[in-house]
Amino acid sequence: MDQLLFAVSTIIVGVFGCVAYFYFSNILLDRIYPASGPNAGANINKSTAIRPWLFVLPALLVLTMYLVYPVVSTFFLSMRDTRGAFIGVDNYTWLAGDEKFRESLGNNLLWLVIVPAASTFFGLVAAGLTDRIKWGSIAQSLIFMPMAISFVGASVIWKFIYDYRGENQGEQIGLLNAIVEAMGGTAQTWITLPFWNNIFLMVILIWIQTGFAMVILSAALKGISEETIEAAYLDGATALQIFFKIKIPQIWGTIAVVWTTITVTVLKVFDIVFAMTNGQWGSQVLANLMYDWMFRGSPDFGRGSAIVMVIMLLVTPVMIWNISNAHKENR
Amino acid sequence: MEMAGTKSRLTWAVNLAVGFLVLLWIIPTFGLLVSSFRDRDAISTSGWWTALSASERNVIVRADAPDNAAPDGAGWVLSGSVFEGGSGNVTAFGIASRAPEAFAPGEVATHPKGHQITVEANGDYRIAYSEQPSGSRGQRLFVRAETPPGFTLDNYREVLFAEGMGKALLNTLTVTIPATIIPILVAAFAAYALAWMEMPGRALLIAGIVGLLVVPLQVAFIPLLKLHNNIGIGKGYIGIWLAHTGFGLPLAVFLLRNYMAGLPGEIIESARVDGASDFAIFRKIILPLSFPALASFAIFQFLWVWNDLLVAKVFLGTGEDQVVMTGRIVDLLGSRGGDWEILAASAFVSIAVPIAVFFSLQRYLVRGLLAGSVKGG
């Protein structure tokens, strides 16, 4: 209980601290440059120039310390060895030759292609179908629900699906193997099956992300102007034709946004792999490899940092695309 | 004109397809829910789907030793139950392995040695001997029994009180509450300034925040761990609160700024003309109007922090007083992968809270998602 008290008092201190900062810094500013007296005009100009910075200062400080500084720092760390000596790009050349790194990069690229594609596809199908029926919103919230579940929780859930019992261990308790056996196939240890285990891990993330894609695409579909649909309908287009030739072309922008958002999630995927295989059996990914190098028996922060920089590099195109989009919006 | 027949057939197909999709999506979670209420043996010997209906199985039990037979009228009788404390429904029984289902419940089976055996539907058996029997090995009874689906709350009891998950739940709460509330306030002020106050470099700041949205968290681990050690925070709650605040801020500022920028400018202008200070405008106009956006972000951040494993593993210690639920479940997965009942109940405890939040506040979550990704980012 002491601990919760600690948490609650932190909230109070934090919240009051914030409010006090904003309140008193504003008052202080008004005292220094009073909006009356001989220099009222000049004072008002000065205080209007300074005040916004008072408002953004705490956020800027935290962002700088917790995101900007680490990017720079990690970059420099990636060029040091375990003792902190500068070794240039050695960590990167080592990475290029490391078997595990190549495996991780390959797997990450595979994740990068399959997960966003499948999630967007299923999301689109779900959005298109649920829009047409009465209980659509209930169906949507059930498909959307996995979004609320942690990757760890999802891993446990799917363990009950992928579980394998050997020949003498009684009946299958994993749903997938039970189905496979019921259809006359042979049960498999899905999680250790080289290459294919990657796909089975991806299924978990697709299961989670489809709801996200569906919600956003569904909103976009609703935003399409009725006129174009009606016109196509009157020209005799079928429901499928309307969906693929009229609706989809109008929401390309949203599809791209969904795709890239899931891409970023995929690049950082860690929990699922960590919980299901911990990178064994050829299922390693970059984020888990980095964690490995950071916390193994003899940590190598240099190599860990180099792996992070690779992830950072892969995210950069999305970052640039996002910034240019936001810039267009705000113009 | 479209024909009525094809239209209704199409509607049928759509309904069916959606039903299938929904089923596919909820079955995994449903399986976990069912499993979490089954006892250890049941989980590890049969699939969770078998728990939904009464299961029939063949069991072999040994009746009481003939030495214990009691005199009864002219003969001697042994009685007891084949379920030994449990319950069930006998559909057939037998007395030899060659014909394990030879008799219906209530029928009398005569053993080659002369004694007569009956098993009732409720599992009670009665063996009648004409002379006093002897021996310590009881008669073998082959029973085909239907056992009703058995569910138990024991797993939850054990998980919450014996396995330390209760403590982990408390730890998760300790991490989550401040890490959800503190960034909101910091972000709200910044968002207001970026939306409604004139400042040089505003566009640049906004672009920077959009860029930070996608920075992989992994970047922060090594430098911040070093920093925390240097300034004496080390691994602990203060460190993780700060870290989550930092990681949540880009989305918070982005969402709130987008929302605030969409508020009607006339209200703010007229308040300014009336002489209200920016602080007053923020407190009296902007904050109340921005409630939906604040709620969206709060839900995001709550779900994210509650479900997080990685940040907790990096910034918290490994002691009992700091391990969060996700961390403990991962430990269970690794070290005690066979304890399915513990695993299932633990996982369900940890996902119950976010699911409850999700279903009660879904509206805000959806709104936040739309604001966060359709617009700009």
Side-chain angles (χ1 to χ4, degrees):
Chain A
M1 274 303 121
D2 285 353
Q3 198 177 312
L4 266 194
L5 216 64
F6 177 42
V8 171
S9 50
T10 308
I11 297 174
I12 295 170
V13 170
V15 170
F16 273 93
C18 273
V19 173
Y21 159 79
F22 288 116
Y23 185 73
F24 288 112
S25 63
N26 272 285
I27 287 188
L28 194 67
L29 189 64
D30 289 336
R31 286 277 161 77
I32 297 173
Y33 297 112
S36 55
N39 300 324
N43 279 351
I44 287 178
N45 283 345
K46 278 181 191 154
S47 66
T48 346
I50 294 173
R51 202 180 312 273
W53 294 100
L54 289 182
F55 277 64
V56 294
L57 189 67
L60 280 190
L61 276 180
V62 176
L63 283 175
T64 310
M65 193 169 123
Y66 278 85
L67 286 169
V68 180
Y69 155 73
V71 174
V72 179
S73 170
T74 301
F75 175 67
F76 286 111
L77 275 171
S78 74
M79 292 187 288
R80 296 183 179 276
D81 64 11
T82 40
R83 278 158 302 156
F86 182 81
I87 52 169
V89 294
D90 280 8
N91 281 329
Y92 292 93
T93 47
W94 169 82
L95 272 187
D98 183 56
E99 193 119 327
K100 262 301 185 191
F101 173 76
R102 289 180 179 195
E103 175 195 316
S104 310
L105 193 63
N107 285 341
N108 256 112
L109 293 178
L110 203 63
W111 279 78
L112 213 54
V113 173
I114 296 177
V115 176
S119 307
T120 312
F121 172 77
F122 285 121
L124 195 57
V125 170
L129 291 177
T130 49
D131 272 352
R132 303 173 60 98
I133 56 174
K134 279 190 199 130
W135 54 292
S137 61
I138 299 172
Q140 282 203 354
S141 67
L142 289 174
I143 295 176
F144 191 30
M145 188 200 65
M147 270 293 276
I149 295 176
S150 61
F151 288 170
V152 174
S155 301
V156 176
I157 288 176
W158 284 82
K159 220 176 147 59
F160 276 86
I161 291 189
Y162 293 147
D163 184 66
Y164 167 77
R165 291 290 149 122
E167 276 181 23
N168 301 318
Q169 291 172 289
E171 61 181 289
Q172 298 295 341
I173 66 168
L175 186 60
L176 186 56
N177 274 325
I179 293 174
V180 166
E181 284 197 344
M183 300 204 317
T186 330
Q188 302 280 341
T189 45
W190 307 109
I191 288 307
T192 61
L193 224 56
F195 178 76
W196 291 103
N197 55 3
N198 284 303
I199 309 284
F200 292 114
L201 297 186
M202 288 176 207
V203 167
I204 304 178
L205 191 58
I206 295 170
W207 177 70
I208 294 175
Q209 294 290 334
T210 294
F212 161 76
M214 176 197 64
V215 164
I216 292 181
L217 294 171
S218 161
L221 285 176
K222 286 198 184 95
I224 293 176
S225 78
E226 285 290 325
E227 289 153 34
T228 53
I229 298 167
E230 251 163 49
Y233 187 69
L234 289 177
D235 286 346
T238 63
L240 276 185
Q241 280 176 325
I242 290 179
F243 188 70
F244 285 108
K245 295 197 173 149
I246 309 290
K247 289 186 176 174
I248 292 203
Q250 294 195 52
I251 58 167
W252 269 126
T254 313
I255 291 177
V257 167
V258 169
W259 192 293
T260 49
T261 310
I262 298 176
T263 299
V264 173
T265 312
V266 166
L267 276 173
K268 297 186 271 191
V269 69
F270 163 80
D271 310 31
I272 294 176
V273 175
F274 183 77
M276 295 294 277
T277 64
N278 199 10
Q280 291 168 283
W281 308 297
S283 66
Q284 188 65 290
V285 292
L286 292 175
N288 196 48
L289 185 68
M290 179 265 168
Y291 184 85
D292 239 29
W293 277 103
M294 211 179 139
F295 288 104
R296 58 174 54 203
S298 54
D300 189 329
F301 284 176
R303 287 178 178 177
S305 300
I307 299 169
V308 178
M309 288 319 289
V310 173
I311 304 178
M312 185 73 204
L313 194 72
L314 291 171
V315 173
T316 307
V318 179
M319 186 190 283
I320 293 169
W321 191 72
N322 279 353
I323 293 177
S324 78
N325 269 358
H327 194 64
K328 267 183 248 156
E329 283 252 338
N330 290 329
R331 212 189 290 265
Chain B
M1 286 298 281
E2 204 164 337
M3 297 225 302
T6 52
K7 180 135 197 187
S8 77
R9 221 182 306 150
L10 186 68
T11 316
W12 257 100
V14 171
N15 270 305
L16 222 64
V18 174
F20 178 71
L21 211 57
V22 168
L23 215 61
L24 211 61
W25 248 255
I26 59 173
I27 278 178
T29 318
F30 184 66
L32 181 75
L33 177 65
V34 172
S35 299
S36 70
F37 288 109
R38 304 180 73 205
D39 68 35
R40 186 189 175 86
D41 288 344
I43 290 188
S44 55
T45 55
S46 59
W48 59 264
W49 53 93
T50 60
L52 300 178
S53 56
S55 59
E56 272 206 300
R57 58 200 172 103
N58 288 311
V59 284
I60 304 171
V61 287
R62 224 170 244 292
D64 207 356
D67 285 342
N68 298 335
D72 176 64
W76 301 76
V77 164
L78 262 180
S79 58
S81 169
V82 295
F83 294 122
E84 283 167 2
S87 69
N89 192 18
V90 175
T91 54
F93 76 99
I95 54 172
S97 56
R98 276 167 287 114
E101 296 175 32
F103 303 96
E107 278 182 0
V108 178
T110 308
H111 195 269
K113 284 183 184 160
H115 51 277
Q116 296 184 314
I117 302 157
T118 312
V119 179
E120 299 294 338
N122 66 4
D124 289 346
Y125 65 83
R126 180 186 155 92
I127 307 177
Y129 300 87
S130 47
E131 290 163 28
Q132 179 171 14
S134 67
S136 56
R137 279 168 70 82
Q139 167 71 38
R140 277 204 299 173
L141 299 173
F142 299 84
V143 176
R144 180 152 185 83
E146 219 172 33
T147 35
F151 294 107
T152 166
L153 284 173
D154 287 354
N155 300 338
Y156 284 96
R157 212 167 291 139
E158 183 169 353
V159 158
L160 286 175
F161 301 110
E163 288 288 330
M165 197 57 74
K167 180 67 180 149
L169 181 72
L170 197 67
N171 294 345
T172 297
L173 275 174
T174 310
V175 172
T176 310
I177 302 170
T180 304
I181 295 178
I182 294 174
I184 294 180
L185 209 62
V186 175
F189 277 98
Y192 170 66
L194 291 177
W196 287 107
M197 292 165 93
E198 285 300 327
M199 60 190 292
R202 196 169 72 167
L204 205 66
L205 282 178
I206 295 172
I209 282 164
V210 172
L212 290 179
L213 272 176
V214 296
V215 167
L217 297 185
Q218 280 88 351
V219 156
F221 295 160
I222 296 169
L224 287 183
L225 219 48
K226 287 186 171 181
L227 183 81
H228 283 175
N229 281 332
N230 288 342
I231 59 176
I233 298 177
K235 282 189 167 196
Y237 288 113
I238 296 185
I240 198 171
W241 289 329
L242 284 171
H244 274 306
T245 302
F247 301 154
L249 264 185
L251 182 68
V253 176
F254 178 71
L255 273 184
L256 294 176
R257 194 210 78 93
N258 272 357
Y259 191 87
M260 288 176 187
L263 294 174
E266 303 86 49
I267 307 179
I268 294 155
E269 286 311 319
S270 65
R272 281 212 178 115
V273 171
D274 289 347
S277 70
D278 276 307
F279 189 78
I281 293 174
F282 173 78
R283 195 170 60 86
K284 291 189 179 140
I285 300 175
I286 300 284
L287 266 194
L289 284 180
S290 305
F291 177 76
L294 296 172
S296 302
F297 172 74
I299 296 166
F300 270 122
Q301 181 76 356
F302 174 83
L303 289 179
W304 155 247
V305 176
W306 184 280
N307 288 338
D308 161 76
L309 167 73
L310 188 52
V311 178
K313 275 192 98 63
V314 174
F315 289 102
L316 283 179
T318 48
E320 182 81 351
D321 57 337
Q322 291 191 355
V323 172
V324 293
M325 266 192 293
T326 46
R328 189 164 279 273
I329 292 171
V330 164
D331 287 347
L332 281 176
L333 265 173
S335 65
R336 301 172 56 182
D339 289 347
W340 292 86
E341 78 286 4
I342 300 296
L343 204 54
S346 312
F348 214 82
V349 169
S350 91
I351 66 178
V353 175
I355 286 186
V357 168
F358 171 82
F359 278 117
S360 52
L361 300 170
Q362 197 183 152
R363 204 158 38 104
Y364 293 111
L365 186 67
V366 170
R367 199 178 305 180
L369 271 183
L370 294 178
S373 35
V374 175
K375 272 181 158 185

